[in-house]
Amino acid sequence: MIAKIGSGKSTAGLIRYLFDTKKAKDHIDPHLVASWDGFAPDPGRADDFNATKKRLVADLDLRVKQARRLGRAPERHVWHCSVRAAPGDRHLTDAEWADIARRVVAATGIAPQGDPDGCRWVAVRHADDHIHIAATKVRGDLRTARHWNDYVTADKELAAIEKEYGLQQIVRGDRTAAKRPTRAETEKALRTGTTQTSRERLRTTVRQLVSIAASPEEFLHMLDGVEGVLVDVQHFPSGDVRGYKVAVGGDTNAAGEPIWFSGAKLAPDLSHPKIAERLTAIDTAPITEGSRRRPNPWHQATAAAERIPRHLDHGDDEAAQAHIAALGEAIDVLPLLAPSHLRPQLQQAAIVFERATRSRIRAQQDQARALRGAVRALRTAPVSSDGSGLAMFLDIAVLVVIATARWHQARRNDQQVAAVYQALIHLQAAYQQAAIGPLAALAQRQPPARTMERHTQRIIAILPNHAQQVLDDPAWPALATALTEAETAGHDPEQLLRNATRQRTLDDARSTAKTLTWRIQRLAARQAPSPRAQAAQARTSATARPAHPGEISSRPSQPGLTAPVRHR
């Protein structure tokens, strides 16, 4: 069950809406199911509808008028709470809805149980799956009701009701979600034939710009240049930026004025102070000494993302939250860089993963500067002609998103977990499409049989627990090509394989061969070590032991052990 709570100035206006059956087509047989004393006049069951409706409004407003004469009535004296059952729940009876209404007004402080001075209220049912509770916020002692934090208390009571009534127990949030579009916004989008409301469109635009901006000033400059978006930047008397608000061009209210949204109204982390905090002191990709050449940004972003699971498993929560937010920025930027046929899946992944980037834990932003710097560098590095950079990043992104789900699940962040798994579906679909071209191109350059046999022996020796899986994988020719090309560039294939397996366990890889292909390509893009360095690496590898139990061992597998279960 979900509760929505609001306030207003007109009791008559709310009652008129609740009993209307002409404009609101989904209002069927509106009638009272409960009231403050059980005897409130019910317009839905009266012969004279208009007269009864006036009596009901007068009864609800009685204490408001009395308090107003004393100058004590609140300006927004109407309290409105709708309670909706989840899709698929059984239809509750009027008596059951009446019990639910009484429990909600008691829990929220509108009419505490056993309090004779509780506020006046009525519960109206005009559809099978929900009720509306209308109340006036003046008590019998003419004090204003204390209903602070009413959404939280109502939600807690509804969770208990779900269990007692055997209803679906819905996923509940932690009040860090972006505000959902209102019904009016959604209906307006339908009338104008757009797939997104103005709020949703602006949220996506702002998030994408934050993901590529290198400073708060650059963010505002880029925002001002977006076609079809109006921008208003507010300043302090000192000239410093206080905040900003945006509107969709042509989206106006009844007075013809633009409908503005501040950053905070788009999402809790899109206010100007939060954006400025995230964009401060972002690391940029270093220039390689000697060659004066910047590393491949896709390789840099992949390497930074690959370290996130370790931060989630072994770091503090504030640092982990920062890395999840940085991962969200990386996913936000992908639709801007990817080929057109991948954009729909990546855009959907970004939209749903946005919910997973926030929790009640405050992010320690300076802990994720490396990934953020690499993400900013991606805007000047379009996807390569074969698409290998994007496929490589998506391969590790899927792995990191799975780790993110585990992190949120351990902290009972139910909404975030649901969002992560929705994003995972789109990311996996995008990865499968993105990997086709690069892997096919590598497979076409498959080395001769003698070279393939050498690589086969290396796989068996270095990855005994995964060897058969790798060799049976359709991506094995692509991996063999990557090893051959690395060897041609001066790298030791055996050393590359050992380094690739030490980066992270392969147990959760859906395709071990594909994952190794991307890792080998990324490692081989670095300058090949000198013969002296290769000799030193060989000596180190001969005595090295796995850093943790999850890493791959080079020792033969023990009899009777089964292959590890793959999670991705």
Side-chain angles (χ1 to χ4, degrees):
M1 284 188 158
I2 296 177
K4 289 185 178 180
I5 298 176
S7 62
K9 300 179 180 180
S10 173
T11 307
L14 177 57
I15 295 300
R16 187 185 310 115
Y17 163 74
L18 295 180
F19 284 91
D20 173 60
T21 57
K22 295 180 180 179
K23 293 182 180 179
K25 301 301 182 182
D26 59 340
H27 290 193
I28 302 171
D29 186 26
H31 60 280
L32 297 187
V33 295
S35 65
W36 73 94
D37 62 357
F39 299 102
D42 183 358
R45 294 291 184 265
D47 294 332
D48 191 335
F49 173 79
N50 289 326
T52 307
K53 184 174 66 175
K54 289 180 180 179
R55 282 178 50 210
L56 176 60
V57 171
D59 288 351
L60 286 170
D61 274 344
L62 176 64
R63 293 168 175 174
V64 177
K65 292 180 179 178
Q66 293 172 343
R68 188 170 291 147
R69 286 196 291 266
L70 300 175
R72 295 163 56 180
E75 181 181 6
R76 301 182 67 85
H77 64 272
V78 177
W79 187 83
H80 176 205
C81 174
S82 64
V83 181
R84 185 177 298 272
D89 275 342
R90 64 181 177 85
H91 289 170
L92 301 174
T93 65
D94 281 0
E96 289 173 320
W97 277 119
D99 176 58
I100 291 169
R102 294 187 190 98
R103 291 176 64 168
V104 169
V105 295
T108 56
I110 292 296
Q113 188 174 8
D115 184 354
D117 288 327
C119 299
R120 295 192 167 195
W121 60 274
V122 293
V124 180
R125 182 179 188 180
H126 55 213
D128 289 331
D129 63 348
H130 69 280
I131 59 170
H132 292 261
I133 304 173
T136 47
K137 296 191 287 187
V138 178
R139 292 167 42 84
D141 53 15
L142 302 188
R143 292 184 296 144
T144 301
R146 300 185 64 180
H147 59 97
W148 181 82
N149 222 19
D150 50 10
Y151 173 79
V152 174
T153 54
D155 193 57
K156 185 177 180 180
E157 186 66 25
L158 291 178
I161 290 171
E162 288 170 351
K163 293 180 181 179
E164 293 175 26
Y165 277 70
L167 304 175
Q168 294 185 50
Q169 297 180 36
I170 66 167
V171 174
R172 294 190 140 75
D174 56 5
R175 306 188 74 184
T176 62
K179 185 176 180 180
R180 290 179 294 183
T182 64
R183 180 174 179 177
E185 291 172 351
T186 303
E187 291 178 349
K188 188 174 185 178
L190 291 174
R191 290 196 305 270
T192 57
T194 56
T195 57
Q196 287 184 309
T197 65
S198 293
R199 186 192 300 271
E200 292 170 320
R201 174 184 167 185
L202 292 169
R203 182 185 302 141
T204 298
T205 298
V206 170
R207 284 188 63 85
Q208 287 182 334
L209 292 182
V210 172
S211 71
I212 61 176
S215 67
E217 295 76 19
E218 186 179 24
F219 161 71
L220 292 175
H221 177 73
M222 290 192 298
L223 184 61
D224 191 48
V226 177
E227 184 178 356
V229 174
L230 306 178
V231 183
D232 181 17
V233 180
Q234 297 92 41
H235 295 82
F236 289 110
S238 62
D240 295 334
V241 175
R242 184 182 64 175
Y244 72 96
K245 56 183 180 180
V246 288
V248 173
D251 185 17
T252 59
N253 57 23
E257 301 169 336
I259 299 177
W260 295 99
F261 297 89
S262 66
K265 286 187 177 180
L266 297 178
D269 57 346
L270 294 183
S271 66
H272 187 265
K274 293 289 182 65
I275 290 174
E277 181 183 2
R278 291 159 66 185
L279 297 183
T280 300
I282 294 176
D283 287 346
T284 56
I287 297 176
T288 304
E289 294 183 5
S291 66
R292 307 299 295 172
R293 177 176 61 85
R294 287 187 181 275
N296 185 315
W298 287 103
H299 293 185
Q300 292 288 100
T302 303
E306 197 168 35
R307 292 191 289 269
I308 291 179
R310 183 169 298 178
H311 291 292
L312 300 185
D313 293 339
H314 305 294
D316 58 71
D317 281 357
E318 291 78 7
Q321 181 63 64
H323 282 90
I324 293 173
L327 175 65
E329 292 178 15
I331 295 175
D332 284 334
V333 80
L334 294 181
L336 303 177
L337 305 174
S340 58
H341 69 285
L342 298 178
R343 288 173 192 164
Q345 292 286 5
L346 293 174
Q347 188 66 69
Q348 280 302 115
I351 289 172
V352 295
F353 191 77
E354 178 263 349
R355 179 65 191 97
T357 60
R358 293 183 302 275
S359 71
R360 299 296 290 178
I361 298 169
R362 181 178 175 82
Q364 190 176 342
Q365 302 291 6
D366 61 347
Q367 292 294 311
R369 289 185 293 178
L371 177 56
R372 289 198 165 102
V375 169
R376 269 69 185 176
L378 288 177
R379 63 179 180 172
T380 59
V383 179
S384 56
S385 57
D386 66 352
S388 59
L390 175 60
M392 181 186 304
F393 181 81
L394 287 175
D395 176 65
I396 194 62
V398 168
L399 201 67
V400 178
V401 165
I402 293 173
T404 301
R406 292 196 297 263
W407 189 85
H408 277 305
Q409 199 162 22
R411 287 148 188 82
R412 299 184 179 179
N413 296 332
D414 295 338
Q415 283 190 352
Q416 288 87 336
V417 171
V420 168
Y421 282 118
Q422 289 178 40
L424 186 61
I425 294 172
H426 298 292
L427 284 174
Q428 287 177 328
Y431 168 69
Q432 294 299 333
Q433 295 179 58
I436 292 174
L439 292 174
L442 284 169
Q444 287 178 354
R445 304 195 298 271
Q446 179 177 334
R450 291 181 62 183
T451 305
M452 291 288 291
E453 180 59 28
R454 289 204 312 271
H455 292 324
T456 297
Q457 295 306 315
R458 287 169 177 146
I459 293 293
I460 293 173
I462 298 172
L463 293 96
N465 296 334
H466 296 269
Q468 198 59 51
Q469 180 183 346
V470 171
L471 299 176
D472 291 341
D473 197 307
W476 162 234
L479 172 57
T481 301
L483 287 168
T484 301
E485 294 179 350
E487 187 174 21
T488 303
H491 291 276
D492 179 357
E494 294 183 7
Q495 188 61 44
L496 285 180
L497 276 172
R498 290 191 179 93
N499 291 342
T501 56
R502 279 200 295 265
Q503 284 182 347
R504 181 170 173 80
T505 176
L506 295 168
D507 293 350
D508 48 7
R510 172 176 291 182
S511 169
T512 306
K514 290 180 183 179
T515 297
L516 284 173
T517 299
W518 308 129
R519 293 182 185 179
I520 293 297
Q521 280 201 317
R522 180 155 56 84
L523 291 171
R526 304 170 183 173
Q527 186 175 358
S530 65
R532 180 179 296 180
Q534 288 181 352
Q537 288 178 353
R539 289 194 299 270
T540 301
S541 299
T543 57
R545 297 177 62 185
H548 58 81
E551 291 180 344
I552 306 300
S553 172
S554 60
R555 291 173 296 177
S557 57
Q558 298 178 22
L561 292 182
T562 57
V565 178
R566 290 178 289 162
H567 303 292
R568 201 183 91 209

